[in-house]
Amino acid sequence: MIMDEAPKHILSKSTFMYGCQCPKRLWLYKFHPELRDELDEQQATIFQRGTDVGLLAQQLFPGGVNAAPPTPFEYQQSVLDTAKYICDGHKIIYEAAFQHDGILCAIDILVNRNDRWFAYEIKSTASVKPQFMKDAALQFYVMTQSGLSVEDIFITHLNTKYIRHGQLDMNQLFTSVSVKKEVMELQPFVDMKANDLKNVLQLQAAPVMEMGDHCYKPYACDFQGFCSVGIVESDVEDEYVNHHAIVEFLDQLVYPLYFMDFETWTAAVPEFDGQWSYRQIPFQFSIHKQAEQQGQLVHVDYLADENNSPLLLFAESLLKALGSVGSVIVYNKTFENMILNQLKNEFPELKKSVENVQGRLVDLMSPFRKNYRLPEMKWSHSLKYVLPALVPELSYDSLAITNGADASTAFYNLKHEADDEKRQATRAALLEYCGLDTLAMARILNELQSISES
Ligand code: SF4
């Protein structure tokens, strides 16, 4: 059956989900998309990774026809193409699009087995998240209301238990979980919510909504900048210093001190042998060594080659730089300890040396959890608040990379950077950022020592 052009849709899966989170988000997205917060480099990379995983998952069902539109504005053509592919007897359709009563959906993979249709929605996550149910329920609603009989619907996500060795094994990389039961129960909700949201889109002005938890969950809303204009943060006035606890903290230190920081990157799809989805791979460290109190700081750092597995070289360079005696000071011990645990499991020959380092770890964050608080720290013990409060002259503001997430994204993107000058500039920025982290720790410790002597 050849259909004429379908009318433009009113709601899509994305806009339905925006509306479920907050009707104001839906309204603003439709009528004032220019008010959205700017997408940072890190978020852009996450979106890209999501797309890459979707394409990879098509290999689970090879040989399908693709109904994806040439541009995001031509989904009505996809709806027509999908109907034609079904009529023509195709058994596997990627990006199969359907429209019912002004609502559009596109299912990642639609498969026909023994005259029954099975729908697969691909997610680049490590598990089935609760919020995926509404999204799958909408897909199921639109497909079935359009007349397709759907035998089952699955969420297909990454399997973090699969460790890559050699070629990627798609059947192990992905896990599919049937969500038909949950999705069936949500059908009345979808029907009611879709009508409510269509009414929101008839409003002349944005619905009134206060900011709250719903602005961050299940997804960070991208109108937070717009909605938070005029909201003033309340000042924190208390100052608290537990001298006794700070002296106790300092007394445990053994010189030479090593101020140490790691940067890691993670990928949805494992790129090297021994890697699994979302494994945090250390690629960089910075160490400032101080032989005695008030002594000079000596800096050592390491930044991996972006094209090879950095693990063994990272571990060996780290152990060499740390020697075998002296406190190893980190900020938030859990993270560094977790990476060290992974390294010793991976390289049993290094186990003894890694355990030596683990036994020397001291967490510089611990005094700021309970025993030292200044108003400028705003109830936070994160380095990003503690540093400006204690050492205001040392700042990340002028750096090209200002936080760990950006460092991770910058390193991940290096392998796609063809311009050698830009590569070198990024590598220099990474070294500068990580170096400032450990210098900051040394300066903070210095401040704690001054306080304890006062
Ligand atoms: S920031 Fe919060 S209140 Fe504003 S549109 Fe987003 S979710 Fe709604």
Side-chain angles (χ1 to χ4, degrees):
M1 177 180 65
I2 306 293
M3 295 160 70
D4 289 333
E5 177 137 344
K8 180 108 175 72
H9 60 278
I10 303 166
L11 284 171
S12 67
K13 185 184 75 171
S14 308
T15 51
F16 176 80
M17 292 302 288
Y18 292 164
C20 287
Q21 180 173 3
C22 170
K24 185 177 177 185
R25 183 178 188 190
L26 168 68
W27 194 95
L28 287 170
Y29 177 83
K30 273 282 184 181
F31 300 114
H32 286 286
E34 76 284 1
L35 298 175
R36 275 191 292 179
D37 300 334
E38 222 170 278
L39 198 66
D40 64 28
E41 198 186 337
Q42 192 202 348
Q43 290 163 320
T45 305
I46 290 169
F47 285 158
Q48 183 56 41
R49 285 183 210 175
T51 312
D52 293 345
V53 170
L55 287 176
L56 201 61
Q58 292 180 356
Q59 293 178 29
L60 287 169
F61 302 98
V65 283
N66 197 344
T71 73
F73 307 102
E74 294 170 78
Y75 260 107
Q76 273 59 46
Q77 186 58 47
S78 285
V79 174
L80 300 180
D81 289 347
T82 302
K84 183 171 181 316
Y85 292 149
I86 291 174
C87 270
D88 290 351
H90 286 277
K91 303 288 186 209
I92 298 169
I93 306 171
Y94 308 133
E95 302 285 339
F98 298 87
Q99 189 163 314
H100 167 73
D101 201 15
I103 314 169
L104 173 86
C105 83
I107 192 87
D108 290 320
I109 305 176
L110 192 63
V111 179
N112 188 299
R113 283 192 291 265
N114 303 327
D115 273 343
R116 291 169 179 184
W117 288 104
F118 296 82
Y120 294 82
E121 185 63 6
I122 313 301
K123 300 290 182 189
S124 58
T125 53
S127 61
V128 176
K129 310 246 180 197
Q131 63 266 30
F132 295 166
M133 295 306 163
K134 278 185 197 158
D135 154 338
L138 181 83
Q139 311 262 44
F140 188 85
Y141 176 84
V142 177
M143 281 188 288
T144 51
Q145 295 291 324
S146 307
L148 190 78
S149 171
V150 180
E151 184 71 16
D152 208 343
I153 179 163
F154 299 87
I155 300 287
T156 299
H157 65 85
L158 291 159
N159 167 22
T160 49
K161 293 206 171 67
Y162 164 61
I163 301 175
R164 178 171 185 168
H165 289 293
Q167 285 290 314
L168 273 178
D169 179 340
M170 295 303 150
N171 289 309
Q172 289 201 61
L173 178 63
F174 290 103
T175 302
S176 294
V177 179
S178 169
V179 291
K180 188 176 178 189
K181 181 172 169 287
E182 294 84 343
V183 154
M184 294 283 284
E185 284 167 7
L186 282 167
Q187 293 306 288
F189 163 82
V190 171
D191 190 51
M192 185 195 72
K193 195 72 182 175
N195 281 327
D196 286 355
L197 296 180
K198 283 181 200 162
N199 289 334
V200 167
L201 293 175
Q202 301 293 325
L203 298 174
Q204 296 302 305
V208 177
M209 287 293 294
E210 295 290 327
M211 285 190 78
D213 282 354
H214 64 278
C215 304
Y216 312 94
K217 289 182 199 162
Y219 302 104
C221 173
D222 46 4
F223 288 99
Q224 288 178 32
F226 172 73
C227 289
S228 60
V229 169
I231 298 178
V232 185
E233 278 184 45
S234 62
D235 284 342
V236 181
E237 282 176 2
D238 307 22
E239 174 169 334
Y240 175 70
V241 183
N242 180 341
H243 277 88
H244 176 72
I246 291 174
V247 169
E248 226 172 51
F249 172 80
L250 295 172
D251 277 352
Q252 67 178 311
L253 300 180
V254 176
Y255 281 84
L257 303 182
Y258 296 88
F259 298 90
M260 177 180 87
D261 184 50
F262 298 163
E263 300 303 330
T264 59
W265 66 276
T266 179
V269 177
E271 296 181 5
F272 305 113
D273 283 358
Q275 199 181 338
W276 56 88
S277 294
Y278 297 111
R279 175 180 182 179
Q280 287 188 301
I281 307 274
F283 63 87
Q284 176 175 19
F285 68 74
S286 166
I287 293 171
H288 274 91
K289 178 177 174 183
Q290 191 174 38
E292 58 197 6
Q293 192 166 341
Q294 306 297 331
Q296 275 214 336
L297 291 167
V298 178
H299 189 221
V300 185
D301 57 13
Y302 167 85
L303 176 56
D305 177 323
E306 63 274 13
N307 292 312
N308 294 304
S309 170
L311 291 172
L312 184 58
L313 210 52
F314 176 93
E316 288 175 341
S317 312
L318 182 79
L319 293 171
K320 188 167 164 230
L322 289 173
S324 57
V325 180
S327 298
V328 178
I329 300 179
V330 294
Y331 208 90
N332 191 3
K333 186 172 158 180
T334 323
F335 173 71
E336 266 80 10
N337 210 24
M338 183 262 291
I339 299 294
L340 291 169
N341 273 332
Q342 287 185 2
L343 291 175
K344 78 178 178 196
N345 290 337
E346 188 125 15
F347 307 112
E349 68 278 17
L350 301 179
K351 185 168 182 242
K352 240 172 115 186
S353 311
V354 173
E355 282 178 349
N356 167 286
V357 171
Q358 288 180 299
R360 292 154 58 200
L361 288 178
V362 174
D363 195 345
L364 183 60
M365 187 193 260
S366 61
F368 301 102
R369 286 209 168 94
K370 285 197 290 219
N371 295 312
Y372 189 17
R373 190 172 60 229
L374 295 179
E376 296 86 345
M377 294 176 193
K378 304 187 177 177
W379 299 109
S380 170
H381 39 253
S382 146
L383 192 58
K384 302 294 173 286
Y385 286 95
V386 171
L387 180 65
L390 285 185
V391 194
E393 67 278 14
L394 207 60
S395 159
Y396 291 83
D397 291 351
S398 62
L399 300 189
I401 292 171
T402 57
N403 60 63
D406 286 354
S408 170
T409 305
F411 183 77
Y412 185 84
N413 290 339
L414 265 184
K415 61 168 88 55
H416 306 294
E417 181 57 74
D419 183 333
D420 197 50
E421 218 167 283
K422 283 190 187 154
R423 274 186 65 250
Q424 293 309 334
T426 302
R427 289 182 68 85
L430 282 165
L431 289 169
E432 195 180 7
Y433 165 72
C434 195
L436 185 60
D437 266 350
T438 50
L439 178 63
M441 283 190 253
R443 296 289 300 274
I444 288 170
L445 187 85
N446 203 14
E447 289 301 312
L448 287 181
Q449 286 166 334
S450 319
I451 291 159
S452 75
E453 285 158 10
S454 64

